[in-house]
Amino acid sequence: MKIRIFGTRGKIEPKAEDHVNHTGFLLDDRILIDIGEPEYMKYRPEAVVFTHFHPDHAFFVPEKQKFTPKIPLFGPEAHELIPELKVINGEFRIGEYSFTPIPVIHALKLKSLGYIIQKGQKKIFITGDVAWIEKANLAEIPKLDLVITEASFINKGGRINRKKDRIFGHTGVPNLIRLLSPHTQKIAFCHYGEWFFENAPEKSKAKIKSLEDDVQLIPAHDGMELEI
Ligand SMILES: [Zn+2]
Ligand SMILES: [Zn+2]
């Protein structure tokens, strides 16, 4: 499976060379996961799968444009701008790819899903934005060839907001490493937050690499291609 990471910038103002675009992943030039920039449609994906409907994952949300390409569209909940959206309610397939949705805690008012995507023997997990993933939701998952997650905050704990008994926001990179390391040998990071742009990108990537232990950590850049 070939995974192209189109964008590595979170929903923030600062940007840097090779870290300009918002989220989008293209699998084998065929399936798009999230569409943070309209240009991603140029690759003529066969289907689009959304992790959640924040604007940096669904570019058409702020302008209230309808999103109506004539291809299958999948997402965690109905959306007024996507009349043809198929709401995910369990495992589903797109051609030879099987998608297993994993509930992710992230936003107060939006549902979020990560996806384990399997093609043949190869399995990846794209988490989307993460405040937390209940360990029970990861307990049964098979060993993954690659996990792609976010890096909004480099500090332990990230930035978590609380309302009554609910949490939302983004956890920290160290927490994600601990949470995801039991399931894979490789974790790629994108969706960088402000911290990343306070120094030269090379320095910030080195900071991620400095957290590496048994599991390989891959700080991504816009347009990076990974093959598993
Ligand atoms: Zn988000
Ligand atoms: Zn985001």
Side-chain angles (χ1 to χ4, degrees), residues 9-11 22-23 34 51-52 54-57 106 128-130 150 152 170 191:
R9 177 160 70 121
K11 190 175 173 295
H22 294 119
T23 303
D34 283 348
T51 61
H52 65 302
H54 274 157
D56 54 317
H57 302 255
H106 167 51
D129 295 357
V130 182
E150 61 132 313
S152 300
H170 302 265
H191 200 283

Side-chain angles (χ1 to χ4, degrees), residues 31 34-35 37 54 71-72 104-105 116 120 130 136 143 151 202 206 223:
I31 299 170
D34 283 348
I35 176 160
E37 309 287 347
H54 274 157
I71 53 173
V104 173
I105 301 167
I116 294 171
V130 182
K143 198 81 181 169
E202 290 317 311

